[in-house]
Amino acid sequence: MIPNLCGASCHVQQWMRASGAAAPATAPGWAQRLLAHRRPQKAFFETLIRSLIILCVAIAVVLSSISVCDGRWLLARGELFGLWHFCTVSNGSVLKCSTDLGLANVEGLSVGMIPIRSMVSFAVVVAIFGLELLMVSQVCEDANSRRKWSMGSVLILGSFLLSAAGVLSFSILMKDHLTFMGFTLTYWCEFIAAFLFFLNGISGLHINSITHPRNSVGKI
């Protein structure tokens, strides 16, 4: 029985040589192909850093949302200036607020505040979309995960530009009433949120670039 099998295998090999058929791939060749198609596992520190970036972006979104919804950014000379309201503080510490910003007697306040609140509000919306892309890229890992992460980081940087432009424009518009102690907590929330947007947007793009050589399939 064994000689018959050996003879059959010899006949198969002779037929393959005569017909020019390719020989079956060897075990090392199959191992190389399996390694090439195998999904690379992320390092612990990379996963930790990406998770921290997502957490910090979420905190920045919350801070920016609180700042925009409250909108009262500057207290000066018994008057409270905000994105949506102008308030006066009476002797009984009771706020009398009005949505008519023209009552503040600040030149260009009612018109200039429109693009400012539009920028900071749109910054929150853009940041939410960026945060969603960052989270999806980590939860649903596929061939486009790195692209989703990059797009999310770019959107976070866009949120920084919008937030920073809003904060700077407000400071320029209220330059005659500015005092360091006059800035309210909600103003500093927006300032910190803008800083976090910048830091995490840059960090997201950087970690994506430094991990590219490790994640790419090398040539064997």
Side-chain angles (χ1 to χ4, degrees), residues 142-162:
D142 52 17
N144 297 321
S145 294
R146 291 179 52 82
R147 185 177 301 176
K148 293 176 184 177
W149 180 272
S150 297
M151 292 177 60
S153 300
V154 171
L155 288 179
I156 298 302
L157 284 179
S159 299
F160 157 71
L161 294 177
L162 291 170

Side-chain angles (χ1 to χ4, degrees), residues 182-205:
F183 289 118
T184 63
L185 183 60
T186 52
Y187 174 87
W188 290 115
C189 286
E190 184 66 26
F191 185 86
I192 295 173
F195 175 75
L196 288 176
F197 286 147
F198 171 76
L199 181 63
N200 291 282
I202 291 295
S203 300
L205 291 177

Side-chain angles (χ1 to χ4, degrees), residues 50 54 57 125-142 144-156:
R50 290 180 184 267
I54 293 175
V57 172
V125 177
V126 174
I128 291 174
F129 281 105
L131 177 60
E132 183 178 359
L133 283 174
L134 295 182
M135 295 176 63
V136 169
S137 68
Q138 297 305 295
V139 175
C140 305
E141 295 186 11
D142 52 17
N144 297 321
S145 294
R146 291 179 52 82
R147 185 177 301 176
K148 293 176 184 177
W149 180 272
S150 297
M151 292 177 60
S153 300
V154 171
L155 288 179
I156 298 302

Side-chain angles (χ1 to χ4, degrees), residues 58-76:
I59 293 174
V61 170
V62 173
L63 291 176
S64 184
S65 300
I66 294 174
S67 179
V68 172
C69 291
D70 182 82
R72 299 167 183 176
W73 284 8
L74 181 65
L75 177 63

Side-chain angles (χ1 to χ4, degrees), residues 4 8 74 88 96 109 124 141 177-178 189 196 198 202 214:
N4 292 335
L74 181 65
T88 57
K96 296 181 179 180
L109 181 63
V124 177
E141 295 186 11
H177 298 77
L178 288 184
C189 286
L196 288 176
F198 171 76
I202 291 295
R214 185 186 64 80

Side-chain angles (χ1 to χ4, degrees), residues 58-132:
I59 293 174
V61 170
V62 173
L63 291 176
S64 184
S65 300
I66 294 174
S67 179
V68 172
C69 291
D70 182 82
R72 299 167 183 176
W73 284 8
L74 181 65
L75 177 63
R77 304 168 188 173
E79 297 175 337
L80 190 59
F81 300 92
L83 301 176
W84 315 96
H85 301 90
F86 167 72
C87 303
T88 57
V89 182
S90 61
N91 295 330
S93 298
V94 178
L95 289 177
K96 296 181 179 180
C97 300
S98 174
T99 56
D100 186 6
L101 300 180
L103 299 176
N105 295 323
V106 177
E107 184 179 359
L109 181 63
S110 57
V111 177
M113 202 61 69
I114 296 175
I116 292 176
R117 60 189 176 217
S118 298
M119 285 187 289
V120 294
S121 300
F122 192 57
V124 177
V125 177
V126 174
I128 291 174
F129 281 105
L131 177 60
E132 183 178 359

